[in-house]
Amino acid sequence: KQRYQRRVRGMAVFVDGQHRTDYGRIVLTNDAVLHPADKVQTTPSRADGISYEDERDIKILGCELIQASGLLLQLPQVAMATAQILFHRFYLVKSLVIHNYEHQSMAAIFLAAKIEEHPRRIRDVINCFHHIKQIKDKKTPIPLDFTGTLYVKQKNDVIKAERRLLKELGFCVHVKYPHKIIIVILSLMLEQGQNTELLQLSWNFMNDSLRSDVFMRHTPDEIGCACIWLSARIKKICLPENPPWYELLDCSREKCEEISRSVLNLYCIPRPNAEKLERAINAAKEAYELKKSFNEKNKRDLKDVKKLDSSSNFSPIDPHKNKDSPKSKISPATLINNKLSKLAENSSDNHKNGSLRRSKHHSPRRRYSPVSPPRRKHDRYNRKKRRSSSDSESNSLVRKRKHRSKRRASSSSDSSSSSSDSEAAREEARKKKHEAKKKLADQKKLEERIRQLEKEKDRNKKEKHEKNLRE
């Protein structure tokens, strides 16, 4: 057996002294999660009509719900911090108008508890949020009925929200915290008895900063340094400045000031009103639905226009006259239309040439189908049989009718000529009606075929989309 001595340096692996590339490694970095200030300010919620203040207040409400439910579920602070960071990351990509913040906060705390290896049952999470809502509304807290429809609906919503959260974050739920950095730096710089108040204050600042978008723009090292710097200034404790202590963690004074300013701004914001924010979300939802319905209507109109363009045989360039011009791509709808028009022309030519045979006893008022059925061999025999077996009275009536018609024909040649003209006009009118009906039938066939093609296209698109999702 060969023994493999591996030394991993970056992405390189050395096997028996030879350099090989290790393609089976995944490198997770916090830099991929950080976003510039422009992207943080231009979120999908802002695009859907929610103001910056309302969006900030809704996110603060969601983070407060997570913190309160974490305390009721007896989770560690690390799990609550993870849930709040995941909550902020999700709403950088998705809109508050489409996705309910309460469902997402439930899904975030439920997922964070599993990530930090302190799992809680989904029933307990839903019950905690129900309890918090009852206390906010100043009602007597009653436990949720686990057999009712409300619990089943909320459970399904939370499971869907968790899946959506994982999908949007790409299953990258790795979070780094500044808790450890604060403890290590303060234990190095100050004595054990001296740093308790400073440690507690910086810890509080760090927990409060989870309600803002600081973790979306700065690294955990920079946030930890800013919290220590701010708490040292409030407590009036001198920290080493020559060289500056925060340079140990690649942080600058400007970044410390920027982060501490955003943390202090949280204390200047008035307490958010949940009812007012719900009204703002509902108004934005109505506007979004109106916009969506208007866009769908425009898409339908465009489809109708495309159908008309495809059904028409008009082309600006005649391919017979201009042979040098490149051939344009013909859509399947135009091909079907061309075939149907050729069939219609052939059938009309046959009708004009008299290829459709008519029987001797054909009356002009009787309408025939464009394609006559094939005659059988025993047809004549049956007819003769019928004639021979007919009554003498019917034969006499036929003779009388023939005699009357002969008399009329001999009496007035002018009247006969006019009747023949009228018969010819009737036949022409019948032919025109027949052609018009045939055109309508062809048009209906074409429309049905176009609908089938569109359905097939939509089906193929859906199948491709589902395949991509599965992959």
Side-chain angles (χ1 to χ4, degrees):
K1 288 182 181 180
Q2 290 183 346
R3 289 184 179 178
Y4 292 90
Q5 295 177 353
R6 296 194 175 196
R7 287 180 297 148
V8 180
R9 290 179 182 173
M11 292 296 286
V13 180
F14 293 89
V15 182
D16 291 337
Q18 294 180 359
H19 178 273
R20 293 182 188 178
T21 311
D22 188 8
Y23 292 105
R25 290 189 65 208
I26 296 167
V27 180
L28 293 172
T29 58
N30 285 311
D31 298 334
V33 183
L34 300 177
H35 301 282
D38 299 333
K39 191 177 179 182
V40 173
Q41 287 174 3
T42 56
T43 54
S45 305
R46 296 286 299 282
D48 287 339
I50 292 175
S51 63
Y52 171 74
E53 290 79 14
D54 290 343
E55 186 187 3
R56 180 197 62 200
D57 292 345
I58 291 161
K59 284 179 180 177
I60 288 166
L61 266 178
C63 291
E64 282 177 359
L65 278 170
I66 288 165
Q67 191 74 25
S69 63
L71 291 168
L72 287 169
L73 291 163
Q74 296 179 356
L75 288 168
Q77 182 58 36
V78 177
M80 290 182 257
T82 305
Q84 288 176 60
I85 290 163
L86 294 176
F87 181 78
H88 278 293
R89 283 182 190 174
F90 178 79
Y91 281 114
L92 270 178
V93 186
K94 291 290 174 183
S95 174
L96 285 157
V97 174
I98 301 163
H99 305 288
N100 190 1
Y101 75 95
E102 286 182 3
H103 295 158
Q104 288 307 136
S105 54
M106 275 193 259
I109 195 73
F110 181 58
L111 180 62
K114 289 191 273 188
I115 291 161
E116 299 301 329
E117 297 180 0
H118 292 278
R120 295 288 182 269
R121 289 183 297 180
I122 195 165
R123 188 175 75 179
D124 298 336
V125 174
I126 292 164
N127 207 0
C128 281
F129 274 81
H130 183 67
H131 179 78
I132 292 160
K133 198 173 183 182
Q134 282 178 332
I135 289 165
K136 275 190 178 179
D137 295 338
K138 294 177 182 178
K139 294 176 182 177
T140 53
I142 301 162
L144 194 67
D145 183 18
F146 299 122
T147 57
T149 54
L150 181 64
Y151 169 72
V152 174
K153 188 180 178 297
Q154 280 195 344
K155 187 181 174 182
N156 291 332
D157 289 338
V158 172
I159 290 162
K160 283 177 187 175
E162 187 194 12
R163 284 178 189 166
R164 205 179 293 119
L165 183 67
L166 285 166
K167 183 192 162 191
E168 292 304 325
L169 299 179
F171 288 82
C172 183
V173 289
H174 178 71
V175 179
K176 195 181 174 185
Y177 315 99
H179 296 75
K180 198 174 181 180
I181 296 155
I182 290 166
I183 294 161
V184 170
I185 289 170
L186 288 175
S187 63
L188 285 169
M189 287 193 294
L190 302 169
E191 294 176 5
Q192 196 170 3
Q194 197 179 358
N195 69 346
T196 50
E197 289 182 5
L198 187 65
L199 177 62
Q200 187 60 51
L201 189 60
S202 54
W203 190 275
N204 293 340
F205 281 137
M206 197 273 303
N207 286 334
D208 290 338
S209 67
L210 291 162
R211 287 168 173 76
S212 66
D213 58 356
V214 166
F215 279 86
M216 304 297 106
R217 294 187 282 117
H218 301 283
T219 59
D221 298 346
E222 290 169 0
I223 294 162
C225 290
C227 290
I228 294 164
W229 183 80
L230 182 61
S231 53
R233 287 200 65 171
I234 288 165
K235 290 286 176 184
K236 295 179 182 179
I237 296 168
C238 292
L239 296 173
E241 286 288 335
N242 194 12
W245 60 272
Y246 40 78
E247 286 184 0
L248 184 69
L249 295 165
D250 296 329
C251 187
S252 62
R253 189 184 176 86
E254 289 79 17
K255 281 184 180 177
C256 287
E257 286 175 358
E258 186 186 344
I259 293 162
S260 56
R261 210 177 289 119
S262 59
V263 171
L264 288 169
N265 281 337
L266 285 168
Y267 304 113
C268 302
I269 297 163
R271 192 165 186 78
N273 188 0
E275 291 178 1
K276 186 186 172 185
L277 293 170
E278 278 178 9
R279 269 186 256 118
I281 289 166
N282 289 331
K285 266 185 186 176
E286 285 174 7
Y288 174 77
E289 283 170 4
L290 281 167
K291 191 179 176 183
K292 193 179 176 182
S293 62
F294 180 72
N295 289 335
E296 283 176 359
K297 193 181 176 185
N298 284 342
K299 280 179 185 177
R300 269 189 248 115
D301 292 342
L302 282 167
K303 277 184 181 178
D304 294 338
V305 169
K306 282 177 184 177
K307 277 184 189 177
L308 288 167
D309 291 342
S310 63
S311 62
S312 64
N313 291 323
F314 172 75
S315 61
I317 299 163
D318 191 359
H320 299 292
K321 290 179 182 179
N322 191 7
K323 291 180 182 178
D324 299 329
S325 63
K327 288 182 180 180
S328 60
K329 290 182 180 179
I330 301 164
S331 63
T334 50
L335 284 168
I336 293 157
N337 190 16
N338 292 335
K339 283 180 182 179
L340 288 168
S341 60
K342 280 178 184 178
L343 285 166
E345 285 172 6
N346 291 333
S347 63
S348 64
D349 290 339
N350 291 335
H351 194 71
K352 284 174 186 176
N353 295 332
S355 60
L356 302 172
R357 296 175 71 184
R358 293 186 181 182
S359 62
K360 289 179 182 179
H361 303 285
H362 170 68
S363 61
R365 289 183 186 179
R366 191 172 174 184
R367 293 179 184 179
Y368 277 74
S369 62
V371 181
S372 59
R375 289 189 177 184
R376 294 178 186 176
K377 287 181 181 179
H378 59 273
D379 246 9
R380 285 183 183 178
Y381 175 73
N382 287 343
R383 273 183 201 162
K384 281 176 184 177
K385 209 171 184 182
R386 281 190 217 115
R387 283 172 200 162
S388 61
S389 63
S390 60
D391 299 331
S392 60
E393 290 177 3
S394 61
N395 288 332
S396 63
L397 284 166
V398 169
R399 283 194 212 103
K400 282 177 183 179
R401 280 173 192 163
K402 280 182 182 178
H403 186 63
R404 280 174 199 160
S405 63
K406 280 178 184 178
R407 280 171 69 186
R408 280 171 193 164
S410 61
S411 64
S412 59
S413 61
D414 295 328
S415 64
S416 65
S417 63
S418 65
S419 65
S420 62
D421 291 335
S422 64
E423 281 177 5
R426 281 176 200 158
E427 282 179 2
E428 282 177 4
R430 273 188 229 110
K431 282 178 187 178
K432 283 177 183 177
K433 280 182 183 178
H434 179 66
E435 284 172 4
K437 280 184 181 178
K438 200 168 186 184
K439 280 180 183 177
L440 280 168
D442 293 339
Q443 198 172 357
K444 281 178 183 177
K445 281 181 187 176
L446 177 65
E447 285 173 359
E448 283 175 5
R449 185 61 183 155
I450 289 162
R451 281 190 213 112
Q452 286 175 2
L453 286 165
E454 283 180 352
K455 281 179 184 177
E456 284 176 4
K457 279 181 186 177
D458 292 334
R459 209 181 298 126
N460 291 332
K461 278 182 185 177
K462 280 179 184 176
E463 284 174 0
K464 282 180 184 177
H465 183 62
E466 286 172 2
K467 194 178 178 183
N468 291 330
L469 283 172
R470 284 194 215 102
E471 285 172 0

